[in-house]
Amino acid sequence: MAAPVRAAIPAGLFVEQSEDCCDPLRLELTAGGEAYLARGRDPVTGTVVEEKEGALRLNFPAVPDAAVRTLTGGPAEWRDQAGRSWRRVAPGEGAEGWTPFAITVTDQDGKLFEGLAFDYEITSREGRWQPPDVRHLAASGGVCAVTAPADCLITIMPAHPDLNRGFGNAVEVRRKGGEAATSLQLTRGLTVSGRVVDAATGRPVVGAVLKPLDFTSPGWTPDDGHQIASAEDGSFVLRGLSVLGFQVEHPDFVLSPMTCVDESKDTIDIVVPMEHGRTAMGRVADAAGKPLAGVEVSSGGMSMLTDGDGSFLARSGFGAGEGWDLKLDKPGYAELNFKGRDFPVGGFILAPLPELRGRVTGPDGAPVGEYRIVGEPEKDPRSWESGEAEVRDAGGRFTVQPRDASRDGWYWIGVQAAGFAPWQGTVEAAALLSGELRIVLQPGHTVRADLVRPAAATGDLTVELRREVAAGLSERLDVHRLVLPPGEQLEIPQVAEGYYLLSIRGTGISPTVKRVSLADGSDRDLGEIRLAGTGSISGRAAPGQGKDDPSGAGDWVFAKGALHPADYERVWGERRRDTREFHTDGEGRFHLDGVPLGRSWIEFTLHRGCFVERKIGVVDVEEGRDAEVKFGEPVANSSQLRSSAAGDGSPSLLPPPPLPDGQ
């Protein structure tokens, strides 16, 4: 079936718009009515079942409750049933000078790969760009057709049954001077055929799953994308193998260990015997002995649900080696992990998650009727176990259920409400379980400052006031963020007592970080804060490297670099966000504007198989000036890592100065 042409609306690629999503969902719609929904490279396939002007209805049979089921709006932006925005994007959007480029792919004998598909990435001086398609692209006639800049690196990730997908699968192709075409040779993997049999009886094993093993340093990984199942007579033909071979799985048998193959030729008529293992019947109930249906029992990537009477059958392919290693999970109950040879005589007992109760008032005793509350087991909060609730109750009462029960008898509680400072603290379990807890919110304090900007800083400033605590839930509650347009001064209300870091960032200024103390329980006026401007840097990553490259740039062509502030390693969680990534050009050169003043260091890291080579340069930047970055000669400091000395001869970076206090 020919791929439909993606041309008219609603065809196109739409990306979920979310500030909190570092890996957004992507939805591709074709003119033929196909729909592909993916986060990453494993799409769920569906169809557009109803289409009318300004509205679409989608159906994904494998995922009835898919993240997107209806879309309204269009053509450039849509909203789904949950109100999320989806914006249309296009390959090469906004990039001038991108032209067609054809890469013909053949095997070691010069033959084309029939049915070849591929993914790809482009790296140029502008950075790394991945096409928005959520599925493999077809290489018609063995040609990978892309649109790319005139000078760039194109990383091809081919997909074909005859190609192993492990380490080394991605191949780099260099495009120079806008050339129209090039060729690429790939090696077909090995083919193994044979039968899977029961080791005890010699009878064929039907439905055994065979997966090629891919080398993923430092070990190997089964390739789920190329798996096949044995036929009625136990036979199979598995293609695209490396010398690592394959593994065989079946729920009634013990997992077959890695089977190696002859690297010089295909293997035929191989017999793979599988050993029977143990089986065990288990039952799951609540504390009162009532059977629990729908409990997910999982192990080793496999899972099942308990029946209506709470029973399940565990088989040796389901995690039994020297013993069982199971996880039992059901919403509303604490997760249970079991390791051992024999199941408990009385079955597995799941404890219900506790309901934490209490009420929230103001300092005058009046109930706070609307607020957000977070509950977390233990004194040290971790966001993945938290329970949250948006409370609207005239009496100020709350009920919140965390995802696990406390093991030390304490819970961490945090509350946010308009007109009050955030509240957080640890509370004994007894007070929360009885519902007698009363949380009293207090009005917060105000932090002010007069910001003096450099002339070049004409845009908005991003300001953040964050409590000085370890990363976790408390950090999420005690952080104040705002955007200041030009001419607007700093004022942050409703700040709780404590110690904070104030950070100010924006285009045309050097990031400013100050400590602010509100320990005395009063408002804080920081007075005048003069924001510093920026400079620029230029340089070349490891000039003179590469024997076959006349430019002398070698492997550092379009290399990814990072600009770090001098105190990058010392102020965790604050200055690390000031790291700036960039790429060199086709000769290994780079230039960056808007670099913060003072000492910074530039790092390039190159991975050569299991080895890493790193280049480091140190530079001092002055306002309005361009500074040249120089790199030292490589020095080996271990068998696995080669680093260069600092470019200015410094044996190490200077220790950072202490952060200035707001006073």
Side-chain angles (χ1 to χ4, degrees):
M1 176 180 174
V5 178
R6 288 171 286 170
I9 298 298
L13 192 285
F14 301 86
V15 177
E16 175 192 16
Q17 304 299 303
S18 171
E19 295 180 358
D20 300 327
C21 190
C22 59
D23 186 17
L25 279 166
R26 301 190 294 180
L27 172 68
E28 185 178 4
L29 304 177
T30 74
E34 296 172 320
Y36 299 89
L37 181 66
R39 192 188 303 279
R41 283 290 177 183
D42 294 313
V44 176
T45 302
T47 56
V48 180
V49 294
E50 185 178 320
E51 177 182 352
K52 57 184 178 181
E53 186 175 355
L56 299 174
R57 189 162 63 88
L58 310 177
N59 179 37
F60 296 93
V63 189
D65 58 346
V68 54
R69 298 186 294 280
T70 62
L71 293 172
T72 57
E77 187 168 351
W78 301 78
R79 288 199 174 273
D80 63 19
Q81 73 284 346
R84 289 170 299 199
S85 175
W86 295 75
R87 188 168 299 165
R88 193 173 194 270
V89 296
E93 183 176 28
E96 296 182 1
W98 287 42
T99 56
F101 184 52
I103 305 168
T104 302
V105 183
T106 61
D107 66 9
Q108 61 268 42
D109 298 322
K111 298 179 180 178
L112 297 174
F113 287 88
E114 201 64 38
L116 178 69
F118 69 101
D119 300 322
Y120 71 100
E121 292 180 350
I122 292 175
T123 307
S124 67
R125 182 171 183 173
E126 284 68 41
R128 177 169 293 177
W129 181 85
Q130 183 182 22
D133 300 81
V134 300
R135 57 194 172 123
H136 296 307
L137 302 174
S140 179
V143 177
C144 300
V146 303
T147 301
D151 195 14
C152 64
L153 280 178
I154 302 172
T155 304
I156 299 290
M157 287 80 76
H160 191 272
D162 289 341
L163 295 173
N164 186 266
R165 300 204 303 182
F167 184 83
N169 170 261
V171 183
E172 288 188 344
V173 177
R174 174 74 188 276
R175 188 188 194 190
K176 296 181 181 179
E179 59 186 328
T182 189
S183 59
L184 175 65
Q185 180 178 299
L186 301 176
T187 302
R188 291 185 191 266
L190 301 168
T191 297
V192 172
S193 61
R195 294 182 304 126
V196 183
V197 301
D198 185 324
T201 65
R203 294 176 179 174
V205 176
V206 182
V209 177
L210 298 94
K211 301 179 181 180
L213 292 174
D214 300 336
F215 175 58
T216 49
S217 181
W220 54 84
T221 304
D223 185 352
D224 294 331
H226 281 178
Q227 69 182 27
I228 63 169
S230 58
E232 291 290 334
D233 60 354
S235 64
F236 68 89
V237 178
L238 191 59
R239 299 155 57 188
L241 299 179
S242 70
V243 293
L244 290 174
F246 58 96
Q247 72 177 32
V248 189
E249 304 172 3
H250 193 286
D252 292 332
F253 296 86
V254 177
L255 180 71
S256 172
M258 178 174 59
T259 301
C260 295
V261 297
D262 188 339
E263 62 181 309
S264 63
K265 61 180 181 180
D266 294 341
T267 304
I268 59 175
D269 295 334
I270 186 174
V271 176
V272 181
M274 300 195 75
E275 300 282 349
H276 274 282
R278 303 166 58 208
T279 61
M281 179 66 73
R283 281 186 171 80
V284 187
D286 63 14
K290 179 182 177 181
L292 290 177
V295 178
E296 183 181 22
V297 185
S298 59
S299 177
M302 303 176 69
S303 65
M304 65 171 62
L305 297 177
T306 57
D307 295 332
D309 61 354
S311 65
F312 67 94
L313 177 64
R315 297 178 288 188
S316 52
F318 193 73
E322 294 299 319
W324 301 99
D325 185 356
L326 305 178
K327 181 176 78 172
L328 293 84
D329 190 29
K330 182 179 176 64
Y333 293 83
E335 179 184 292
L336 177 65
N337 293 284
F338 173 78
K339 291 185 178 182
R341 287 193 57 83
D342 300 309
F343 289 172
V345 175
F348 297 96
I349 305 298
L350 294 189
L353 290 174
E355 289 188 341
L356 310 181
R357 304 188 308 278
R359 66 190 186 102
V360 177
T361 72
D364 58 355
V368 177
E370 192 169 331
Y371 54 90
R372 171 181 174 236
I373 188 166
V374 183
E376 165 69 27
E378 321 297 344
K379 292 183 178 181
D380 180 23
R382 297 177 298 275
S383 59
W384 60 85
E385 292 180 347
S386 68
E388 300 188 18
E390 297 290 340
V391 177
R392 290 177 176 82
D393 184 89
R397 296 199 167 274
F398 68 83
T399 299
V400 64
Q401 190 174 59
R403 298 177 188 173
D404 201 358
S406 174
R407 289 171 286 275
D408 62 3
W410 293 82
Y411 286 88
W412 181 93
I413 300 294
V415 179
Q416 283 180 313
F420 298 94
W423 185 97
Q424 57 183 331
T426 52
V427 181
E428 285 191 281
L432 285 162
L433 297 176
S434 67
E436 298 176 356
L437 175 68
R438 177 190 170 199
I439 296 174
V440 180
L441 303 184
Q442 300 290 340
H445 308 290
T446 300
V447 176
R448 299 182 178 88
D450 295 326
L451 305 182
V452 180
R453 313 181 187 210
T458 58
D460 295 343
L461 298 179
T462 302
V463 179
E464 181 177 277
L465 186 68
R466 181 188 298 269
R467 184 185 287 268
E468 287 193 87
V469 294
L473 285 175
S474 52
E475 182 182 67
R476 278 169 40 196
L477 291 179
D478 268 347
V479 58
H480 304 261
R481 298 185 179 93
L482 66 154
V483 176
L484 294 180
E488 189 171 319
Q489 294 304 322
L490 174 64
E491 183 169 312
I492 306 175
Q494 304 303 345
V495 182
E497 293 184 13
Y499 298 91
Y500 293 82
L501 285 179
L502 173 67
S503 62
I504 306 170
R505 294 174 171 83
T507 303
I509 71 166
S510 293
T512 298
V513 181
K514 292 181 177 292
R515 281 198 168 95
V516 177
S517 171
L518 291 174
D520 59 358
S522 61
D523 293 348
R524 189 67 186 278
D525 191 335
L526 304 178
E528 185 178 89
I529 299 178
R530 289 190 169 271
L531 304 176
T534 61
S536 62
I537 61 172
S538 302
R540 193 178 189 193
Q545 301 291 316
K547 298 179 181 179
D548 301 325
D549 191 341
S551 70
D555 292 324
W556 304 95
V557 169
F558 307 118
K560 183 178 180 180
L563 170 71
H564 304 294
D567 53 359
Y568 169 80
E569 295 291 351
R570 292 287 296 274
V571 190
W572 187 90
E574 181 58 42
R575 293 305 300 276
R576 287 197 172 206
R577 72 186 66 187
D578 293 326
T579 288
R580 178 176 168 185
E581 296 182 343
F582 60 94
H583 286 77
T584 64
D585 63 13
E587 295 183 347
R589 301 183 187 277
F590 61 91
H591 175 84
L592 296 177
D593 292 315
V595 178
L597 305 186
R599 174 155 289 197
S600 295
W601 54 290
I602 294 84
E603 177 185 29
F604 287 93
T605 303
L606 180 66
H607 294 267
R608 304 178 187 272
C610 295
F611 291 86
V612 178
E613 186 167 339
R614 200 170 72 186
K615 308 294 180 186
I616 298 175
V618 178
V619 65
D620 292 302
V621 180
E622 300 180 12
E623 187 165 359
R625 295 173 177 253
D626 187 71
E628 183 182 1
V629 183
K630 295 183 179 180
F631 297 89
E633 292 298 318
V635 293
N637 57 10
S638 79
S639 61
Q640 297 293 312
L641 176 67
R642 286 168 54 84
S643 295
S644 66
D648 63 353
S650 303
S652 62
L653 298 177
L654 295 178
L659 287 173
D661 187 80
Q663 297 177 340

